[in-house]
Amino acid sequence: AELLEDSAPDSTLGQDKSHWRTWVAACAEAGISPIRNKSLRSTSQRKKEMRKLAYVVWVVHKNMLPRSKRDPAAKPASAYQVYLGVRRIHDRRGYQMVDSHMTVMMVKALNKRFVKKHGYQSLMKKRKEPLTRLMIERFLAFPDGTKLGCVTVSNKSKGYKAWRCLNATAAQTGLRKDEVASKTVAEGLTKVQFNRASLVFSVGGTMYADPDPQVLRMFGENDGVILKPRPSKADQFGAFWCDKPIFLPYRKHNKVCAARELVEQELMYPVRGVKRHTVPLFAADSGKPFSKQQVETSFKAMLKLVVPQADVRKFSFHGYRIYLACALDQAGCPPDKIKRILRWISDEALRTYVRDGSRMYSQWLDKSASSIINTVQVSNLPKLEAMSVFIDCPEEDDDYESDGG
């Protein structure tokens, strides 16, 4: 069972641990065991078990507090997420829970009552907004001395140079926070994090894994930096995307250019030979990788300098990923290419992140204004008038008439 725990991403295990505590408390109130591993042979036994689980989900929701002070009550979907987490825990322990359709019915009933009491608006999913190109450009243009969480803007700071590399790379790759940062400061560099050896430099048609400064100074508009992907939550073993390199084009005059930032980091703080495997690609002044908390704190510090205080909560580091998806879509990039660039496997992620704005509506509504509609359904086509049809039966041939004998 302990080995099977490693089949799930660490973030999922953390969520399931919290779900389990909630489940145990609700089961205690309901008077049943939290482990649902009994052998249920008859149909009546299974139905009884399904009713018990649906009741526990009701208890979970009854005791839940809303995630935000702005919400009138906890969403039924949150209680259902607890249930799904418990199912995952049972699966990893080798226990099979009964069918969940009655629990789904319970959540639908809770949703219906929620809407009647609080309205449907509170059930709408609250997603972060995409960053804009202007915001990202301003992130990279703060004056010297600006304090950004764990980093201070300075051309002499290794940590700040790495911070610029991190943000520019996130803007052009959509890297997630757990891909660019360690869990904690104490964790340090692991074997699945980006290090200097994660880069390959393409200059004049030749690729260099360990370029000398002279080669780096030759970078031009036709050159670029190749980043080797690392495992992520969606590809935790690196089996799907880690064999597909990310190419970052070098653009000397673009305000946001990850390749240029990475080349400058190499020139300012060179690391040669096998040591490249031991030096984080995005390192704080301490020499250790930025932690998730450090990234979060420094990113919020940038936001507060760029957007009104009331809007800070609308954005997160994940906004880089949303921004790139929307920007690629508006540029006309085919959906399959967007999935490739952002390393998505499912179409569901594409539908979630690519958001339509006023430009799309205006473009297509303007075009639709000149459209001529001439479609018709079969049921609305003209029909023949009803009429009587007489079919005269031919008289029998005299040769076949009976002669009576």
Side-chain angles (χ1 to χ4, degrees):
E2 184 177 348
L3 179 61
L4 290 178
E5 287 292 296
D6 281 337
S7 65
D10 290 342
S11 57
T12 300
L13 293 175
Q15 291 172 352
D16 288 353
K17 187 176 181 180
S18 175
H19 292 330
W20 184 250
R21 289 195 296 267
T22 302
W23 180 260
V24 169
C27 286
E29 183 175 336
I32 66 173
S33 169
I35 300 291
R36 313 309 299 167
N37 62 340
K38 294 181 180 179
S39 176
L40 305 171
R41 298 180 180 178
S42 68
T43 301
S44 61
Q45 286 178 323
R46 288 192 292 273
K47 286 184 177 179
K48 185 176 181 180
E49 176 69 4
M50 285 189 284
R51 287 194 293 269
K52 286 182 179 180
L53 296 181
Y55 175 69
V56 175
V57 170
W58 178 84
V59 174
V60 168
H61 181 253
K62 174 177 70 73
N63 296 334
M64 261 188 170
L65 296 175
R67 293 182 63 182
S68 169
K69 293 181 180 179
R70 295 183 296 274
D71 294 328
K75 297 179 182 179
S78 298
Y80 187 59
Q81 288 302 316
V82 171
Y83 169 75
L84 293 179
V86 171
R87 286 192 72 93
R88 290 192 294 267
I89 291 172
H90 278 73
D91 286 343
R92 293 195 294 269
R93 295 182 180 182
Y95 304 142
Q96 185 174 9
M97 297 176 71
V98 294
D99 185 271
S100 62
H101 81 270
M102 194 170 290
T103 300
V104 172
M105 291 172 62
M106 171 62 76
V107 174
K108 288 182 177 180
L110 291 172
N111 276 330
K112 185 176 180 179
R113 293 188 176 188
F114 187 102
V115 170
K116 284 184 177 179
K117 186 174 182 179
H118 305 292
Y120 71 90
Q121 291 88 347
S122 297
L123 285 183
M124 291 191 297
K125 292 183 178 180
K126 297 178 176 63
R127 301 189 186 279
K128 298 296 184 180
E129 294 296 332
L131 299 175
T132 66
R133 180 74 177 193
L134 180 59
M135 290 172 65
I136 298 169
E137 290 177 357
R138 292 184 65 184
F139 288 166
L140 300 174
F142 294 121
D144 279 3
T146 304
K147 181 71 174 176
L148 304 173
C150 69
V151 297
T152 300
V153 177
S154 171
N155 291 330
K156 299 179 181 179
S157 168
K158 288 184 179 181
Y160 176 62
K161 186 67 224 179
W163 180 248
R164 290 181 63 90
C165 290
L166 186 153
N167 284 274
T169 303
Q172 293 192 293
T173 63
L175 289 174
R176 306 169 181 85
K177 184 167 59 178
D178 65 349
E179 293 178 281
V180 300
S182 60
K183 291 181 184 177
T184 63
V185 174
E187 182 184 50
L189 184 66
T190 67
K191 293 185 179 297
V192 296
Q193 288 180 303
F194 289 119
N195 53 47
R196 291 290 188 93
S198 300
L199 301 178
V200 172
F201 300 83
S202 177
V203 185
T206 302
M207 296 187 182
Y208 301 86
D210 185 21
D212 59 45
Q214 184 178 355
V215 170
L216 294 172
R217 292 190 182 96
M218 294 168 57
F219 257 84
E221 296 294 301
N222 295 322
D223 303 320
V225 176
I226 297 170
L227 177 65
K228 304 172 188 176
R230 52 144 289 179
S232 62
K233 180 180 179 180
D235 183 24
Q236 60 174 321
F237 308 121
F240 201 89
W241 291 116
C242 285
D243 64 333
K244 301 171 180 65
I246 299 169
F247 184 81
L248 300 168
Y250 184 89
R251 299 291 181 263
K252 184 177 181 179
H253 300 292
N254 281 13
K255 293 182 179 180
V256 181
C257 179
R260 188 185 66 242
E261 299 290 347
L262 291 166
V263 169
E264 289 177 358
Q265 178 174 248
E266 293 289 337
L267 289 170
M268 293 170 66
Y269 310 108
V271 178
R272 304 300 305 275
V274 294
K275 191 177 179 181
R276 295 180 66 82
H277 289 284
T278 65
V279 176
L281 182 58
F282 308 120
D285 283 321
S286 65
K288 292 184 177 181
F290 288 107
S291 68
K292 286 185 179 181
Q293 184 60 47
Q294 287 176 326
V295 170
E296 184 68 23
T297 301
S298 296
F299 182 79
K300 283 188 176 180
M302 293 196 304
L303 280 175
K304 291 177 180 179
L305 296 173
V306 169
V307 301
Q309 180 62 38
D311 291 340
V312 170
R313 65 177 180 82
K314 298 178 182 178
F315 302 94
S316 71
F317 187 83
H318 215 63
Y320 279 122
R321 196 166 180 79
I322 310 171
Y323 152 76
L324 187 57
C326 294
L328 289 168
D329 178 63
Q330 288 198 21
C333 184
D336 284 348
K337 297 300 182 184
I338 297 177
K339 288 169 62 178
R340 167 68 182 85
I341 292 171
L342 284 157
R343 301 168 306 286
W344 281 320
I345 299 173
S346 72
D347 290 334
E348 182 181 355
L350 190 68
R351 290 190 294 269
T352 299
Y353 283 80
V354 173
R355 303 173 187 180
D356 295 321
S358 59
R359 177 181 175 184
M360 185 279 294
Y361 280 93
S362 298
Q363 175 185 353
W364 289 107
L365 288 175
D366 287 344
K367 288 185 177 182
S368 70
S370 59
S371 297
I372 298 174
I373 310 301
N374 58 3
T375 64
V376 63
Q377 297 294 300
V378 169
S379 59
N380 295 320
L381 290 171
K383 301 178 179 64
L384 289 172
E385 294 294 334
M387 60 183 296
S388 299
V389 178
F390 296 93
I391 302 177
D392 294 327
C393 296
E395 295 183 0
E396 293 181 342
D397 194 305
D398 292 339
D399 291 342
Y400 294 93
E401 289 181 355
S402 172
D403 59 2

